[in-house]
Amino acid sequence: MTVVESPAVRLTVDGRAITAAPGQLLIAACEQAGVYIPHFCYHPRMRSVGMCRMCLVEVDTGRGPALQPSCMLPVSEGMVVETASDAAARAQDGVLEFLLLNHPLDCPVCDKGGECPLQDQTMAYGPGESRFTEEKRHFAKPIPISDLILLDRERCILCDRCTRFADEVAGEPLIGFQDRGSHTQVNTFPEAPFDSYFSGNTVQICPVGALTARPYRFKARPWDISETISTYPNAMGDRVSVHASRNQILRLQGVDSEAVNHGWLSDRDRFSFEAVHSPNRLREPMLRDESSGEMQAVSWSSALSLAAAAIREAVDAHGASSVAILGGAGLCAEDQYAWVKLVKGIVGTDNVDARMGDGLWADLLCALPRASVADACHPGGAVLLISGDLREEFGTLYLRLRHALLNDDVALVELTPLETSLSSLASVSLRARPGDTALLTEAMLSPQRGESVAGVPTKALAAVASMLKRRPLTVLLGRTSLAESPAAVERAAILLARKFPQARFLPLLRRGGTVGALDVGMAPGLLPGRVTLASASDWYRSAWGAAPEARGLGTEEVLQAAAAGKIKTLVLLGADPVVDFPYSRLASEGLSAVSTLISVDLFNTASVRRADIVLPAAGFGEREGTHVNVEGRATAVTAQVTPPGVARRDWQIAAELARLLGGDLGISSPRDAWEELARLSPLHSGASWEALRTDLDGVLLQAPPPADGEPLRPEALRLADLEPPEAAVVPFDGYSFRLVADRTVYDGGTVVGNCPSLAAKARPGRLRLNVADYERLGVGGDGAVVVTSSAGSLVATAKPDDRVPPAVAALAQNTAGGDPRLLLSPGDAVCEVRIEAASLT
């Protein structure tokens, strides 16, 4: 019999035997065993540098005890460690005395006061008094190194945390050490400010008050703050700590979740808490006065009664199909389920869609084998990126994948129309012109003759196919551009899934809870649990009492039907089609044509201003429930403050509407909604309410196999049941440009616009052109161009950009520099535009 020895390393710490993983750093092994070693520069998510020497401990590896920095020393078999010996204590005492030589004793006015590691460790390990009587060094303070971050160089202890994060994690080495000796300081260079999408992380990890965030500066003290762990409602479901005082959210901090965000946040999410308390929040129900056309505040009972009457009248006169609901991606899963049960189980319509016209085929996303973020970052794997720039739309996924590419032998293949922020780390970058994604995928999976396909050499395609066969494959699947039909991406996904049966897919839908919304049936043809009407209508009809008879309409179809007068009552759940739907004319026509427009929202948006009935809803930080991210991971959402005015939770609004319509949702709390969902949907059955609130990483939703004696339940969607959509191959016109309508993190969106600290970071969009194309067009000094398509035209300011391939033009959606939606037509496979130089004078 062969005995396999355990790989664990055995060592002794403070007289107690512990085990650690091979290669694990001593400081991490001790912390895992419950022994804290003081430190400043060490951070578990970054490379150790041994800068501060605070973690010195006595270590005996067989040659006698010696002081060694525990953040630089891997564990070894038989190691004997003393963390609190006299020698270690004297060393830590000395380190603190040196750190305090020049550190100002301004704790009463320092934002870090009360939560400062330097304070805490000085009290626990320091000398108690200083022998230094000379003048401390001084710098001008504070200096703004970006719009959001202020630097106080006097407080800096040169721990190298901020510089390592900027360089190693974010890949933006915009802050670093300058000067030498006692004059060494951390600073930025004048021509390169700390203009990073992730700068707020440096404030969080700074162990002193050297870096502070302008939105939080001088707002509160730690002992005045209440704190709760929650989930930020973005697509990644980043785990956050919400800090509030006096019923006001004051800041968000990242929480180190191994499965999700590793403690990091993008600045757009970190500082978005300001929107919660925006003056633009809706605080009371409103009703449009028929005579004056003005909005007037009314009671909840009046607003809900009129909303229910509008729904009932539409159903009685024109059938259930005359009612539709759009939006809901920003809601918790319990709210989404309540609306789905109301609309599909009581009203009886299947016209429900959370994707708002910029997502992918819901059936396909439910049928594809789902990947996790860990799958995408697994050492030795391959990642195929069919999406936009992750840095602009999925900040923490970008950070995690970047780390995997640099450290874990992950190979990245890009199939994107533009160069992305990860292109420099990609093994292969295939530039797929808009509309050519499926064509290139087919060529990659099947031997092709000829020199190239859609401008890409066939040798490159064959090399990619060979690489994908050798490694575990994860496909990051999203929209590469809003100016092309999603059919090309959808067809490519099905072809890849059939060619590589072991491949897993991570759906990159940018709206916060869209994947969770699809999982509970918030799309036409679906019911909770990734099942279809055809397979599960009887199951849910027995539970709800009713279910839709026929497949309903998606967002684009709903707006077309509304414009044609077939949708009489339209409900918007946190949706703003006027600004955020890809086809602006259709959105405007559709909203104008409905008899009754009901908007349930947080802010006074452009679509809300067109509504007949407005119902104020609770938002982030004000509600309890569950968030489901792009990988299908459910995590807890907690309430920290009360909603403004008389705003209500969405499930409450849905439940009251159901009562007024003669039904009963049977839901009296978010917990009721989740537990009912878990009883009916096998996909949700493995996640109990208690487990979601005790597990920091949440629960990855997966349907367990049916148990013996369990009632026959509906089957989830299978990929084999879906036919690849036809993707039109548009001949390339050498005289035109193909438009890419992409996203930027700081756009004119509702959240950014309602955050004073972020709104100023939104820049006017520019039409980006390849350098050669820019020069060929003869664009003048003001950069003015006229862009024309079959749908319309606009005047924009162009700029050369070497990340844009030839014959392609890129313009970000929802920016002040020109609305690409004016150029788009529903049903077009691609948007071809002509560009001419113009003049603004």
Side-chain angles (χ1 to χ4, degrees):
M1 175 177 165
T2 303
V3 178
V4 179
E5 294 185 358
S6 170
V9 175
R10 294 164 295 184
L11 62 155
T12 302
V13 176
D14 294 341
R16 180 162 61 95
I18 68 170
T19 58
Q24 189 174 21
L25 292 176
L26 176 58
I27 190 171
C30 289
E31 184 174 355
Q32 182 178 292
V35 179
Y36 176 74
I37 297 177
H39 58 272
F40 295 112
C41 69
Y42 168 74
H43 191 283
R45 296 296 183 186
M46 295 188 291
R47 174 176 56 93
S48 291
V49 289
M51 292 283 287
C52 70
R53 314 310 265 188
M54 188 63 197
C55 67
L56 287 170
V57 293
E58 269 198 297
V59 180
D60 186 353
T61 58
R63 301 181 180 180
L67 288 173
Q68 298 192 52
S70 57
C71 72
M72 298 293 291
L73 186 65
V75 295
S76 62
E77 186 70 25
M79 177 184 284
V80 178
V81 182
E82 293 291 339
T83 67
S85 66
D86 290 342
R90 287 195 302 271
Q92 293 162 355
D93 186 298
V95 167
L96 284 166
E97 186 172 13
F98 275 115
L99 289 177
L100 293 172
L101 290 181
N102 280 305
H103 190 85
L105 301 181
D106 60 350
C107 302
V109 296
C110 177
D111 258 354
K112 200 74 172 181
E115 57 183 8
C116 173
L118 182 59
Q119 266 187 342
D120 297 339
Q121 293 182 35
T122 297
M123 294 295 292
Y125 305 98
E129 60 182 22
S130 174
R131 295 174 289 175
F132 188 73
T133 59
E134 288 77 12
E135 183 72 16
K136 296 176 182 282
R137 68 176 184 175
H138 297 287
F139 293 105
K141 54 185 287 187
I143 58 172
I145 57 174
S146 75
D147 296 336
L148 297 169
I149 308 301
L150 300 174
L151 170 63
D152 187 331
R153 292 166 291 173
E154 292 181 356
R155 296 175 183 161
C156 179
I157 61 172
L158 306 178
C159 70
D160 200 26
R161 276 189 169 194
C162 58
T163 58
R164 276 181 290 150
F165 173 85
D167 185 14
E168 298 173 18
V169 181
E172 299 165 337
L174 302 173
I175 185 170
F177 290 126
Q178 299 178 13
D179 298 331
R180 302 180 68 180
S182 62
H183 298 286
T184 303
Q185 58 176 296
V186 165
N187 210 333
T188 60
F189 292 95
E191 66 277 10
F194 195 27
D195 191 17
S196 167
Y197 286 178
F198 309 100
S199 62
N201 293 287
T202 62
V203 176
Q204 180 172 335
I205 64 176
C206 179
V208 291
L211 292 169
T212 52
R214 193 187 297 270
Y216 178 72
R217 191 174 171 84
F218 300 141
K219 291 292 179 65
R221 285 299 193 186
W223 49 83
D224 296 326
I225 286 176
S226 61
E227 175 182 353
T228 184
I229 304 298
S230 188
T231 304
Y232 188 82
N234 60 10
M236 283 291 288
D238 293 331
R239 299 293 275 152
V240 296
S241 175
V242 185
H243 296 185
S245 179
R246 301 176 297 279
N247 199 41
Q248 184 174 16
I249 297 176
L250 297 177
R251 67 175 174 182
L252 302 180
Q253 300 279 62
V255 173
D256 195 340
S257 168
E258 175 63 33
V260 186
N261 57 315
H262 285 185
W264 312 129
L265 292 176
S266 69
D267 287 356
R268 189 263 187 203
D269 297 335
R270 180 183 295 274
F271 299 112
S272 66
F273 66 86
E274 292 177 329
V276 175
H277 307 291
S278 167
N280 201 32
R281 282 293 301 273
L282 300 173
R283 288 169 164 75
E284 54 190 350
M286 292 183 292
L287 179 68
R288 189 172 301 280
D289 184 82
E290 293 184 358
S291 57
S292 67
E294 299 295 322
M295 298 300 291
Q296 297 180 348
V298 296
S299 66
W300 268 107
S301 60
S302 298
L304 289 170
S305 296
L306 290 169
I311 295 172
R312 186 185 304 108
E313 289 170 8
V315 173
D316 292 343
H318 306 280
S321 62
S322 65
V323 177
I325 286 188
L326 298 180
L331 307 182
C332 292
E334 294 80 2
D335 302 308
Q336 294 169 341
Y337 176 72
W339 280 108
V340 167
K341 186 177 181 182
L342 166 66
V343 177
K344 298 192 177 188
I346 293 178
V347 178
T349 179
D350 193 46
N351 300 335
V352 182
D353 197 354
R355 295 165 298 170
M356 289 304 297
D358 61 2
L360 294 169
W361 185 14
D363 293 26
L364 172 64
L365 296 179
C366 290
L368 286 171
R370 191 67 58 85
S372 67
V373 176
D375 291 333
C377 299
H378 191 273
V383 172
L384 178 58
L385 177 64
I386 306 177
S387 181
D389 194 334
L390 297 184
R391 181 172 173 268
E392 299 289 343
E393 300 187 62
F394 303 90
T396 50
L397 176 59
Y398 164 77
L399 295 182
R400 289 202 55 183
L401 185 56
R402 183 179 183 277
H403 179 274
L405 295 174
L406 287 170
N407 301 280
D408 297 323
D409 187 34
V410 172
L412 173 66
V413 176
E414 291 185 324
L415 190 56
T416 59
L418 307 177
E419 183 177 320
T420 76
S421 301
L422 292 173
S423 292
S424 61
L425 302 177
S427 300
V428 181
S429 290
L430 304 179
R431 292 290 161 254
R433 291 188 301 247
D436 289 344
T437 302
L439 182 64
L440 286 175
T441 302
E442 291 184 71
M444 180 174 65
L445 301 180
S446 304
Q448 296 287 321
R449 294 180 179 180
E451 292 297 321
S452 65
V453 176
V456 177
T458 54
K459 288 184 178 180
L461 295 172
V464 169
S466 177
M467 176 191 300
L468 298 183
K469 289 178 183 177
R470 297 193 307 267
R471 292 168 174 256
L473 175 61
T474 301
V475 182
L476 305 186
L477 187 70
R479 292 287 291 271
T480 56
S481 166
L482 297 179
E484 63 177 309
S485 166
V489 170
E490 293 161 354
R491 181 176 180 83
I494 292 181
L495 295 175
L496 286 164
R498 291 181 177 174
K499 182 68 175 182
F500 302 107
Q502 301 306 315
R504 293 292 179 265
F505 292 77
L506 188 64
L508 297 186
L509 305 183
R510 70 178 190 90
R511 298 177 191 274
T514 307
V515 171
L518 300 184
D519 285 351
V520 299
M522 219 166 196
L526 295 180
L527 288 169
R530 300 177 195 163
V531 297
T532 63
L533 280 175
S535 68
S537 58
D538 290 342
W539 177 275
Y540 282 97
R541 190 173 288 113
S542 64
W544 292 348
E549 296 292 338
R551 187 183 183 96
L553 307 177
T555 303
E556 183 179 321
E557 298 165 317
V558 163
L559 292 173
Q560 288 172 338
K566 298 179 180 178
I567 299 295
K568 301 301 180 181
T569 299
L570 177 60
V571 182
L572 302 178
L573 301 180
D576 187 8
V578 172
V579 173
D580 207 21
F581 179 69
Y583 309 110
S584 56
R585 292 186 183 88
L586 177 57
S588 182
E589 293 169 0
L591 297 192
S592 299
V594 297
S595 301
T596 305
L597 180 61
I598 303 170
S599 183
V600 183
D601 213 318
L602 282 72
F603 301 98
N604 187 22
T605 66
S607 295
V608 165
R609 290 190 287 275
R610 290 175 174 236
D612 301 297
I613 303 172
V614 177
L615 306 176
F620 171 70
E622 302 163 350
R623 58 194 181 194
E624 183 184 22
T626 305
H627 180 83
V628 179
N629 72 355
V630 292
E631 62 182 359
R633 184 176 299 277
T635 49
V637 175
T638 56
Q640 181 70 319
V641 295
T642 57
V646 293
R648 290 185 180 179
R649 280 286 311 266
D650 272 84
W651 70 264
Q652 294 174 315
I653 298 172
E656 184 63 16
L657 283 174
R659 185 187 66 81
L660 293 170
L661 290 170
D664 183 4
L665 292 188
I667 296 172
S668 58
S669 69
R671 179 169 185 156
D672 286 347
W674 183 266
E675 290 180 345
E676 180 177 311
L677 177 61
R679 286 195 305 271
L680 295 177
S681 164
L683 177 68
H684 300 81
S685 62
S688 69
W689 180 264
E690 291 79 8
L692 292 174
R693 270 134 196 87
T694 55
D695 192 331
L696 180 64
D697 292 336
V699 178
L700 199 59
L701 298 180
Q702 295 174 322
D708 293 339
E710 182 181 356
L712 186 64
R713 65 192 190 192
E715 292 187 5
L717 267 163
R718 298 178 302 175
L719 193 63
D721 298 330
L722 305 180
E723 285 298 323
E726 291 298 326
V729 178
V730 181
F732 183 66
D733 178 359
Y735 295 97
S736 299
F737 292 80
R738 289 195 177 179
L739 181 67
V740 172
D742 57 359
R743 300 278 185 181
T744 182
V745 66
Y746 297 119
D747 59 9
T750 302
V751 172
V752 172
N754 283 283
C755 295
S757 299
L758 299 179
K761 298 179 76 66
R763 302 285 188 265
R766 298 287 186 265
L767 184 76
R768 291 118 57 203
L769 296 171
N770 182 267
V771 176
D773 289 333
Y774 184 88
E775 294 174 351
R776 177 174 57 83
L777 289 170
V779 181
D782 57 8
V785 294
V786 176
V787 188
T788 306
S789 75
S790 60
S793 65
L794 59 85
V795 176
T797 303
K799 73 170 185 177
D801 189 340
D802 58 8
R803 298 179 302 172
V804 179
V808 172
L811 184 60
Q813 185 171 332
N814 207 4
T815 59
D819 189 352
R821 301 182 305 157
L822 299 174
L823 306 171
L824 308 183
S825 293
D828 284 354
V830 295
C831 178
E832 293 192 331
V833 298
R834 297 293 180 99
I835 303 174
E836 297 177 347
S839 176
L840 295 178
T841 58

